[in-house]
């Protein structure tokens, strides 16, 4: 009887796996017939919304099971699993869109910039605003935030601003050697940070008196260890397939309807940032601001520190060049966001006004997409 109850409970918890699997089967069998409907605006919108919702739900499930493994395995394996799962989703999504239609050399740059803007302005602003609604101010570990920003700032500048001030064979941008050096710098700095976070300075990233998850939270993840591993792999496999199906509607929308090219990066960034955004806001509402800080700053760091080297490697293998340097007003927005983030986390305390300012910058970023 307990096995049947366990199987029934598992089926109720993992009902979205059936949704993802059914959607994959439909698109696998009727791919060409479905994509012939893209010329109709109604079907274009419907197909995009269905695919986007299923991919997003599957990505949320990936993060959920990665979190289960993080609780079970502890550090440093938990952090590695969470980081690699999220980064893998982003790399797979970008690669899938790049492989369809005309080559979009700015997609990686637009996605990186969108992730930074969505998280450091939208996610941070919303978390601080909602968290401070019931409290005058919230506290976090200043040393941990400084450690994150101390790596994020140089990597963001080297990846998205510095390429505009160098000259490769065809103009501003990194040469092959410079891209290789950037990849090694990114992976190297991220590795040092990971050793810091999971080693002797682990206390920088923990709330006072909150060494581990509550017992009630840990009890939720009891059971055989292989189960979350299998479910994690299953959901990730479905994300890989479904995100490839999402690429044609995005390409069609941008190329045929002459929408801003940066919107492709925004869509990819939303897929990556939404799972962390939900967790960060919940933690902030529960007055666990340090957990929110770890989520949004850690997400930005892993995006820049791991996605950039991965996409540079894929670019060399596939022969599709990528452009990293930001254009128009975007470098100013990036510098302003980084400076504001340093100011926001400089005191170890946050309040309502800081959240409002971050949200204003997020609105400005979104409006500027349609002006370039």
């Amino acid at each position: 009887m307990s096995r049947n109850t366990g199987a029934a409970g598992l089926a109720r918890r993992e009902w979205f796996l059936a949704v993802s699997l059914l959607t994959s089967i439909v698109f696998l069998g009727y791919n060409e017939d479905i994509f012939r409907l893209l010329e109709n605006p109604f079907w274009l919108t419907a197909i995009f919304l269905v695919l986007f919702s299923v991919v997003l739900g599957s990505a949320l499930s990936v993060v959920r099971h990665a979190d289960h493994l993080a609780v079970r395995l502890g550090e440093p394996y938990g952090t590695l699993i969470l980081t690699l799962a999220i980064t893998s989703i982003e790399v797979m999504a970008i690669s899938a869109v790049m492989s369809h239609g005309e080559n979009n050399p700015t997609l990686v740059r637009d996605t990186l910039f969108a992730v930074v803007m969505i998280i450091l302005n939208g996610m941070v602003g919303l978390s601080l605003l909602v968290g401070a609604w019931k409290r005058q101010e919230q506290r976090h570990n200043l040393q941990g935030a400084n450690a994150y920003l101390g790596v994020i700032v140089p990597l963001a500048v080297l990846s998205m601003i510095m390429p505009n001030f160098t000259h490769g064979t065809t103009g501003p941008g990194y040469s092959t050697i410079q891209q290789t050096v950037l990849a090694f710098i990114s992976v190297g700095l991220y590795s040092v940070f990971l050793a810091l976070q999971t080693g002797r300075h682990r206390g920088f990233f923990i709330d006072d008196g909150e060494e581990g998850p509550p017992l009630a939270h840990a009890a939720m993840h009891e059971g055989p260890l292989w189960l979350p591993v299998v479910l994690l792999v299953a959901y990730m496999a479905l994300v890989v397939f479904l995100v490839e199906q999402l690429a044609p509607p995005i390409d069609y929308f941008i190329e045929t309807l002459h929408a801003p090219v940066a919107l492709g990066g925004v869509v990819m960034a939303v897929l990556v940032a939404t799972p962390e955004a939900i967790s960060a806001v919940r933690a902030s509402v529960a007055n666990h601001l340090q957990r929110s800080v770890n989520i949004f700053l850690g997400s930005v760091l892993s995006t820049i520190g791991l996605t950039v080297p991965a996409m540079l490697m894929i670019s060399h293998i596939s022969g599709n060049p990528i452009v990293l340097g930001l254009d128009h007003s975007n470098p100013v927005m990036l510098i302003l966001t980084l400076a504001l983030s340093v100011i926001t986390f400089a005191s170890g305390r946050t309040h309502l006004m800081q959240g409002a300012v971050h949200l204003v910058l997020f609105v400005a970023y979104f409006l500027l997409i349609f002006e370039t």
Side-chain angles (χ1 to χ4, degrees):
M1 180 66 69
S2 60
R3 289 185 179 179
N4 293 335
T5 303
L10 178 63
R12 285 194 298 269
R13 290 194 304 271
E14 304 301 333
W15 62 270
F16 201 84
L17 182 63
V19 174
S20 301
L21 186 59
L22 181 61
T23 305
S24 299
I25 293 173
V26 170
F27 275 86
L28 182 63
Y30 302 96
N31 185 288
E32 295 183 1
D33 295 331
I34 292 174
F35 289 140
R36 286 197 192 100
L37 301 173
L38 292 180
E39 297 180 359
N40 185 305
F42 172 80
W43 286 112
L44 171 63
T45 304
I47 293 170
F48 172 80
L49 290 178
V50 168
L51 281 172
F52 184 84
S53 300
V54 177
V55 171
L56 182 58
S58 300
L60 287 168
S61 297
V62 168
V63 175
R64 174 165 55 87
H65 288 293
D67 181 60
H68 291 186
L69 290 173
V71 172
R72 295 288 301 275
L73 298 178
E75 302 297 347
Y77 304 106
T79 299
L80 284 172
I81 291 172
L82 282 167
T83 300
L84 292 176
I86 296 167
T87 305
S88 297
I89 292 174
E90 183 173 8
V91 171
M92 289 184 291
I94 297 174
S95 301
V97 176
M98 287 180 64
S99 65
H100 287 77
E102 298 180 6
N103 181 42
N104 184 357
T106 63
L107 179 64
V108 175
R109 176 199 70 187
D110 294 337
T111 303
L112 289 176
F113 184 55
V115 168
V116 173
M117 292 295 106
I118 290 173
I119 294 178
L120 290 187
N121 286 328
M123 187 191 302
V124 169
L126 183 61
S127 296
L128 298 186
L129 200 65
V130 173
W133 192 256
K134 296 181 180 179
R135 305 170 184 87
Q136 289 187 347
E137 61 182 27
Q138 292 182 291
R139 298 172 181 267
H140 63 87
N141 194 321
L142 176 61
Q143 292 172 307
N146 283 341
Y148 277 116
L149 292 170
V151 184
I152 289 173
V153 171
L155 286 184
V157 172
L158 287 174
S159 299
M160 291 182 279
I161 295 179
M162 190 61 71
N164 292 331
F165 297 93
T166 61
H167 294 278
T169 57
T170 59
Y174 282 148
S175 64
T176 301
I177 295 178
Q178 290 169 331
Q179 289 181 354
T180 303
V181 172
L182 174 63
F184 277 105
I185 290 175
S186 300
V187 174
L189 283 179
Y190 186 82
S191 300
V192 172
F193 175 85
L194 194 63
L196 177 89
Q197 185 183 29
T198 59
R200 64 177 63 183
H201 294 298
R202 183 170 178 265
F204 288 1
F205 309 93
I206 301 175
D207 281 330
D208 293 337
E210 192 177 335
E211 280 291 328
L215 293 178
H217 180 65
M220 294 172 58
H221 308 297
E222 293 180 351
L225 186 61
W226 60 265
L227 184 58
V229 173
V230 171
L231 290 171
L232 174 68
V233 174
Y235 277 111
M236 287 196 68
L238 291 171
V239 168
V240 173
F241 176 77
L242 289 171
V243 82
E244 291 180 357
Q245 312 309 308
L246 184 61
I250 294 176
D251 257 353
Y252 190 91
F253 184 78
I254 292 176
E255 296 173 8
T256 306
L257 303 182
H258 305 290
V261 176
L263 283 180
V266 173
V267 173
M268 297 297 101
V270 170
L271 286 173
V272 175
T274 298
E276 288 89 355
I278 295 173
S279 299
V281 173
R282 285 177 177 174
S284 184
V285 171
N287 201 26
H288 296 301
L289 184 61
Q290 182 59 47
R291 198 173 302 167
S292 292
V293 171
N294 290 342
I295 291 171
F296 42 65
L297 293 186
S299 179
V300 171
L301 179 56
S302 63
T303 295
I304 300 175
L306 296 180
T307 303
V308 169
M311 295 312 304
L312 287 174
M313 182 178 66
I314 292 174
S315 171
H316 289 307
I317 294 175
S318 64
N320 293 326
I322 60 175
V323 176
L324 291 177
L326 296 172
D327 55 5
H328 305 297
S329 60
N330 290 336
V332 177
M333 283 295 297
L334 177 60
I335 293 174
L336 181 59
T337 296
L338 294 175
L340 179 61
S341 299
V342 171
I343 295 171
T344 295
F345 298 108
S347 65
R349 300 179 178 182
T350 60
H351 50 76
L352 195 68
M353 187 65 200
Q354 292 168 325
V357 175
H358 279 278
L359 285 178
V360 167
L361 283 188
F362 175 71
V363 173
Y365 155 73
F366 191 75
L367 293 177
L368 286 172
I369 291 177
F370 299 92
E371 298 296 329
T372 56

